[in-house]
Amino acid sequence: MERFDWSAFWEYYRVSALGAAIILLARVPHVLGRDPVPPADLKAFEAWRLRRRWFLVMEACSFPAISGLGAVATMASHGSPYVAMFSGMIAGGVGWPFLVSAMRDFVRKRA
């Protein structure tokens, strides 16, 4: 069994993080800009504010996982740093909820 090359992983991780950051920084304003005007009703306003806040928290917390996924996919395919950038962009574009949903369906089909 060959040893895991951590230096290559961190290189791919940095490049994948750059690609994921490009997409996430474009996606967050797009999603938040869909409904920019807060509702007048107090209860609806609280729900609107919480939904926006947790969307930002979810995207910020998923960033390391998305970048790591791009780096691991690149190392598994023996790709170049360009592959790491584009895999990070793809993972950042589909987002965390889609990845969790896809993994849930994958596990159900395997089990």
Side-chain angles (χ1 to χ4, degrees):
M1 181 173 184
E2 77 181 61
R3 293 184 54 128
F4 189 78
D5 187 6
W6 283 101
S7 64
F9 173 77
W10 290 117
E11 177 186 344
Y12 290 144
Y13 184 84
R14 285 192 306 264
V15 174
S16 178
L18 177 64
I22 290 169
I23 295 299
L24 287 177
L25 289 176
R27 194 172 104 113
V28 167
H30 173 72
V31 170
L32 294 180
R34 285 187 206 157
D35 191 17
V37 179
D41 182 31
L42 185 59
K43 192 165 189 155
F45 174 74
E46 284 299 316
W48 176 83
R49 190 174 59 83
L50 282 173
R51 185 175 56 245
R52 291 168 71 90
R53 178 188 310 157
W54 284 110
F55 172 75
L56 289 173
V57 168
M58 180 184 62
E59 291 296 324
C61 291
S62 69
F63 181 74
I66 287 172
S67 301
L69 182 66
V72 169
T74 303
M75 289 189 75
S77 67
H78 302 292
S80 69
Y82 298 112
V83 175
M85 164 101 40
F86 289 120
S87 62
M89 290 175 102
I90 290 169
V94 297
W96 186 249
F98 178 79
L99 290 175
V100 169
S101 174
M103 287 304 295
R104 183 187 64 219
D105 295 341
F106 179 74
V107 169
R108 281 186 187 164
K109 288 181 182 179
R110 291 287 182 171

